[in-house]
Amino acid sequence: MKRKTEEKMWPYPKVLAHRGAGTLAPENTMAAMRYGWEHGFAAVEFDVMLSKDQRPVVIHDEDFGRTVAGNGKVPGHDAAFIMQQDAGAWFSADYKGEPVPDYASVVNFCRSRGIWMNVEMKPAQGYERETGLVVAAETLQLFADLSPVDKQHLPLFSSFSRAALLAAHEVAPHIPRALLVREAGPDWKLHLQEVGACALHIRHDCLTRDLAVQVKDAGYGLFCYTVNSPERARELLSWGVDAFCTDRIDLIPADF
């Protein structure tokens, strides 16, 4: 009976490529999505943030300067400008000119190849609710052909922002949601209930065996980020962790 409950709460793949291809290609780019796919991964996690003109783009940092050169902030520029920025040169010369993709492009690429998606809503500060509303609305359009009960093919929203998750629920209540945390405080269960989450996503080195048991006994899916050691991955799975994302898709294969 327990096994059936676990399968119901986490009907998704076990190993996800973090930001497309982990540390083996420039994160959150189409090049990363292609790299992960070419190396056998049919499950991916990536980040979505809103531009100034309220378009979802796939990028992790609110501030330019790391994966995109220069100064400025994502919510301070229109999507057309952001998507012209070089998001590959920082990684290596081989990827120079690789642009920032928009959400629709990544979704269409993944769907055409049967890649399942964990979409992390990554709101810029002050844009939590707007991010949830807009990303959910665009997701409805991009997955309009799927049944609301097709959990294995619909994406999973995750976010550190409860406001973003609540807003997404208003627009697309049938798209499953997971709450991201660094550490689980004493009110973790209340926070999951507040946003109607089906799973807890937690930093792997902040998870204990006891907490893993509590989460699973409460009927939730349990996901860890970011697991880069096969030994640690095996330990977490032995605790009942359902899935994890990894930067080291060269060390931890999709069929791990």
Side-chain angles (χ1 to χ4, degrees), residues 51-54 74-83:
S51 62
K52 182 179 180 179
D53 54 344
Q54 300 281 287
V74 172
H77 296 278
D78 286 346
F81 175 84
I82 296 168
M83 292 169 64

Side-chain angles (χ1 to χ4, degrees), residues 11-49:
Y12 311 118
K14 181 170 60 177
V15 188
L16 281 63
H18 187 222
R19 302 179 190 171
T23 57
L24 303 183
E27 65 179 59
N28 286 319
T29 62
M30 294 304 300
M33 305 302 156
R34 287 192 294 271
Y35 192 103
W37 167 248
E38 290 167 359
H39 287 75
F41 275 77
V44 67
E45 181 269 358
F46 58 84
D47 305 288
V48 179
M49 189 178 298

Side-chain angles (χ1 to χ4, degrees), residues 152-175:
Q152 289 185 309
H153 296 100
L154 290 171
L156 174 67
F157 291 146
S158 64
S159 186
F160 287 96
S161 169
R162 300 202 296 276
L165 292 171
L166 286 168
H169 176 258
E170 291 179 27
V171 176
H174 67 284
I175 303 291

